[in-house]
Amino acid sequence: MWVPVSSKSAQSQVAQRISLISWNIDAFSSRAVSRAKLILGHILEGPKSPDIIFLQEVTPDVCTSLLNDARVRASFLVTDAEDQTSFKKVPFATMMLLSSNRFASSLGSQKISDGIAGDERLMFEHISRMALPSKYGRDALCVEIISPTAPGAVFRLINVHLDSLGDTLQYRAQQMEILANVLREPGCSGGIIAGDFNAISPEDDGLIDKNKLVDAWVALHGRADPDGATWCVGVKRRDGLGPGRLDRVAMMGLKAEKMEVLRPGPIEVPRPAKKSLSLPWSDHCGLRCTFTI
């Protein structure tokens, strides 16, 4: 027996594909604003502009530069646009950009009229910063979203910069446990935790599994893939540390489809009476992950 199905019902059966880029843009090397502009240009001017951008180590000056960028103002909904509260007592913070073609505020959904039906966009409802136990004042930037393909299901996008250096493993372990539990709270169907996990020790490698999350890179490429390193790639350090997969994407209730490492390009830094110094845009590579709800 043939039964007609409305287009809206058919839509709810189709998984929604979303792309995310996460990048620690390096607050400490010289020319932070210029480097951030190059990273942003690389992200936005490529053939695959993402739906979501997670940035870590954003300084106040870089934040101001991003908010004044015409491409950002025209195409993205941005956290931390009202003031610089997030930078109080810390040298840098995380920041999130959501494509206005793919996301809209649930409060303003009745006013959307950009040629895209409001019910085709993902709605974001709540933005918050969650304080974490931390030696360095780190927090988690969280946005709740609702997909039209999963009516009634709330997913959380969490941008993180976990505690740095080898003596803070206990903090990173606490932070990961707290964040995993946030994805398991009543009313939440899962989500994604991405950013700089500072996974520098063998013990860090087990934190995602320990908290019953899916490591997107491992799910798609396996643990042994040498191309997964995101830090100290192609750089010789005086302390002898080598490349590491410090940046990661962990998820629950979502499916990873594709993932790749984005290498930074160079920037020339002039020096008085000396040859210009060539530096990478960041000491971290970026990550691009495509997933479905």
Side-chain angles (χ1 to χ4, degrees):
M1 178 179 177
W2 179 81
V3 179
V5 180
S6 71
S7 59
K8 192 167 185 177
S9 297
Q11 178 193 41
S12 66
Q13 304 301 314
V14 179
Q16 188 130 346
R17 180 170 292 180
I18 304 168
S19 60
L20 174 146
I21 287 180
S22 176
W23 209 316
N24 179 326
I25 60 175
D26 183 6
F28 297 110
S29 298
S30 61
R31 300 174 68 89
V33 172
S34 296
R35 290 186 293 102
K37 287 181 177 179
L38 289 169
I39 290 174
L40 182 68
H42 183 65
I43 291 173
L44 299 184
E45 295 167 10
K48 299 178 286 185
S49 183
D51 303 313
I52 305 166
I53 302 173
F54 283 8
L55 300 176
Q56 302 89 42
E57 290 198 19
V58 179
T59 64
D61 286 346
V62 168
C63 179
T64 299
S65 173
L66 293 173
L67 292 175
N68 288 332
D69 189 285
R71 297 164 299 180
V72 172
R73 297 175 71 89
S75 302
F76 287 90
L77 306 164
V78 187
T79 61
D80 304 281
E82 294 82 9
D83 54 45
Q84 296 197 334
T85 303
S86 302
F87 299 96
K88 287 184 177 179
K89 300 182 180 180
V90 291
F92 50 74
T94 53
M95 197 169 178
M96 194 182 304
L97 293 77
L98 304 176
S99 168
S100 54
N101 283 334
R102 296 299 306 277
F103 293 89
S105 169
S106 60
L107 297 177
S109 60
Q110 300 300 320
K111 299 179 181 179
I112 297 170
S113 58
D114 296 333
I116 301 175
D119 61 355
E120 293 181 3
R121 297 190 189 191
L122 295 100
M123 298 289 120
F124 71 86
E125 289 202 317
H126 184 65
I127 302 172
S128 62
R129 284 192 180 270
M130 301 159 28
L132 297 171
S134 171
K135 180 178 179 179
Y136 300 108
R138 304 285 166 82
D139 59 21
L141 176 57
C142 179
V143 173
E144 293 185 351
I145 63 169
I146 300 173
S147 170
T149 63
V154 174
F155 296 90
R156 287 173 173 161
L157 310 174
I158 304 178
N159 183 0
V160 298
H161 185 189
L162 304 187
D163 267 31
S164 309
L165 306 177
D167 64 345
T168 58
L169 173 61
Q170 59 174 331
Y171 287 109
R172 292 194 295 278
Q174 293 177 62
Q175 290 164 356
M176 280 303 302
E177 182 178 2
I178 290 170
L179 295 172
N181 287 335
V182 166
L183 298 185
R184 293 190 176 93
E185 288 181 348
C188 181
S189 299
I192 195 164
I193 304 167
D196 183 354
F197 282 45
N198 271 308
I200 59 176
S201 71
E203 292 82 3
D204 283 293
D205 277 336
L207 292 180
I208 292 178
D209 290 343
K210 181 180 179 181
N211 288 286
K212 295 181 173 56
L213 302 172
V214 175
D215 186 321
W217 182 267
V218 173
L220 294 170
H221 298 277
R223 294 187 184 278
D225 192 328
D227 295 329
T230 62
W231 178 77
C232 198
V233 177
V235 177
K236 291 184 179 180
R237 292 175 57 93
R238 294 178 182 176
D239 56 16
L241 292 175
R245 197 167 65 90
L246 271 62
D247 305 84
R248 305 192 176 192
V249 176
M251 54 183 60
M252 178 190 300
L254 305 172
K255 183 181 179 181
E257 298 284 348
K258 297 180 182 178
M259 194 165 177
E260 63 181 310
V261 174
L262 306 175
R263 296 286 186 92
I267 181 173
E268 296 295 320
V269 179
R271 296 188 296 175
K274 292 184 180 180
K275 183 180 178 181
S276 295
L277 184 65
S278 180
L279 295 175
W281 299 336
S282 172
D283 55 348
H284 287 251
C285 299
L287 288 174
R288 180 195 297 276
C289 181
T290 301
F291 61 94
T292 54
I293 295 178

